[in-house]
Amino acid sequence: MEQCDLLLEYLRQQKEKAYELLYHDYYVPLVLFAGKYVENEEVAKDIVQEFFISLLDKEMVFNNRIALKVYLYTGVISVTRIRRILTSDG
């Protein structure tokens, strides 16, 4: 079984290993992505960490890796927007 398929299966089964694989495969790309929307790398890291923590209580079932990626990147954008709203002076 390929690592992609293995990750998707672990997510379906809610195995702890799934979160380790997600973190290993996506932490750096998500930090780089978040960095395009925030002022510095530390804030980007905080956003991604916050997002990963939010995943721990969620049931995640995806048909393919593309659906998983869309979910992850959209989630990071959502956390970024929420942070902007909460930290805005307006």
Side-chain angles (χ1 to χ4, degrees):
M1 188 177 279
E2 292 183 30
Q3 185 170 347
C4 168
D5 296 333
L6 190 60
L7 173 58
L8 296 175
E9 185 57 33
Y10 283 168
L11 286 169
R12 279 186 204 99
Q13 297 173 6
Q14 294 182 300
K15 290 191 174 187
E16 188 174 321
K17 183 71 174 170
Y19 300 102
E20 293 173 26
L21 290 172
L22 272 178
Y23 192 86
H24 179 266
D25 290 354
Y26 289 103
Y27 178 77
V28 171
L30 289 172
V31 168
L32 294 173
F33 179 70
K36 296 176 182 180
Y37 299 95
V38 296
E39 62 274 7
N40 66 55
E41 184 180 0
E42 289 306 311
V43 172
K45 287 179 179 179
D46 287 346
I47 286 168
V48 174
Q49 187 68 27
E50 185 177 327
F51 177 67
F52 272 115
I53 289 169
S54 76
L55 296 179
L56 294 175
D57 295 330
K58 294 190 174 150
E59 183 177 331
M60 296 186 293
V61 178
F62 302 97
N63 293 328
N64 56 53
R65 189 76 157 212
I66 293 171
L68 172 61
K69 283 180 156 182
V70 168
Y71 180 82
L72 295 174
Y73 283 84
T74 302
V76 167
I77 288 288
S78 295
V79 173
T80 303
R81 288 181 178 161
I82 291 168
R83 277 200 171 207
R84 280 191 187 154
I85 292 168
L86 294 176
T87 60
S88 70
D89 295 329

